[in-house]
Short mmCIF file of all heavy atoms in Angstrom, two decimals:
data_model
loop_
_atom_site.label_atom_id
_atom_site.label_comp_id
_atom_site.label_asym_id
_atom_site.label_seq_id
_atom_site.Cartn_x
_atom_site.Cartn_y
_atom_site.Cartn_z
N VAL A 100 71.82 16.77 33.18
CA VAL A 100 73.14 16.83 32.53
C VAL A 100 73.93 18.04 33.04
O VAL A 100 75.11 17.92 33.38
CB VAL A 100 72.99 16.86 30.99
CG1 VAL A 100 74.29 17.22 30.32
CG2 VAL A 100 72.48 15.51 30.50
N ILE A 101 73.28 19.18 33.12
CA ILE A 101 73.98 20.39 33.60
C ILE A 101 74.45 20.20 35.04
O ILE A 101 75.61 20.46 35.37
CB ILE A 101 73.08 21.63 33.46
CG1 ILE A 101 72.90 21.97 31.99
CG2 ILE A 101 73.66 22.81 34.22
CD1 ILE A 101 71.84 23.02 31.74
N LEU A 102 73.57 19.72 35.91
CA LEU A 102 73.95 19.53 37.30
C LEU A 102 75.01 18.46 37.48
O LEU A 102 75.93 18.61 38.28
CB LEU A 102 72.71 19.19 38.14
CG LEU A 102 71.71 20.33 38.36
CD1 LEU A 102 70.48 19.83 39.09
CD2 LEU A 102 72.37 21.46 39.12
N GLN A 103 74.91 17.39 36.73
CA GLN A 103 75.89 16.30 36.85
C GLN A 103 77.27 16.75 36.39
O GLN A 103 78.26 16.48 37.06
CB GLN A 103 75.45 15.07 36.05
CG GLN A 103 76.46 13.96 36.01
CD GLN A 103 76.81 13.40 37.37
OE1 GLN A 103 76.00 13.41 38.28
NE2 GLN A 103 78.01 12.91 37.52
N LEU A 104 77.34 17.43 35.27
CA LEU A 104 78.64 17.87 34.77
C LEU A 104 79.27 18.90 35.71
O LEU A 104 80.49 18.90 35.92
CB LEU A 104 78.51 18.42 33.36
CG LEU A 104 78.17 17.38 32.29
CD1 LEU A 104 78.02 18.05 30.93
CD2 LEU A 104 79.22 16.28 32.22
N ALA A 105 78.46 19.75 36.31
CA ALA A 105 79.00 20.75 37.24
C ALA A 105 79.43 20.11 38.55
O ALA A 105 80.53 20.37 39.05
CB ALA A 105 77.95 21.83 37.49
N THR A 106 78.60 19.27 39.12
CA THR A 106 78.92 18.69 40.43
C THR A 106 79.97 17.61 40.35
O THR A 106 80.71 17.41 41.30
CB THR A 106 77.65 18.15 41.11
OG1 THR A 106 77.05 17.16 40.27
CG2 THR A 106 76.66 19.25 41.40
N SER A 107 80.05 16.90 39.25
CA SER A 107 81.07 15.87 39.11
C SER A 107 82.46 16.47 39.14
O SER A 107 83.36 15.97 39.82
CB SER A 107 80.85 15.09 37.81
OG SER A 107 81.86 14.13 37.63
N ALA A 108 82.64 17.56 38.43
CA ALA A 108 83.94 18.21 38.41
C ALA A 108 84.28 18.78 39.78
O ALA A 108 85.41 18.62 40.28
CB ALA A 108 83.95 19.33 37.36
N ILE A 109 83.32 19.42 40.42
CA ILE A 109 83.56 20.01 41.74
C ILE A 109 83.84 18.92 42.78
O ILE A 109 84.73 19.05 43.61
CB ILE A 109 82.36 20.89 42.16
CG1 ILE A 109 82.28 22.10 41.24
CG2 ILE A 109 82.48 21.33 43.61
CD1 ILE A 109 81.00 22.88 41.36
N GLY A 110 83.09 17.85 42.72
CA GLY A 110 83.30 16.74 43.65
C GLY A 110 84.66 16.09 43.49
O GLY A 110 85.34 15.76 44.47
#
Side-chain angles (χ1 to χ4, degrees):
V100 168
I101 290 170
L102 290 175
Q103 174 61 29
L104 292 178
T106 58
S107 177
I109 293 168

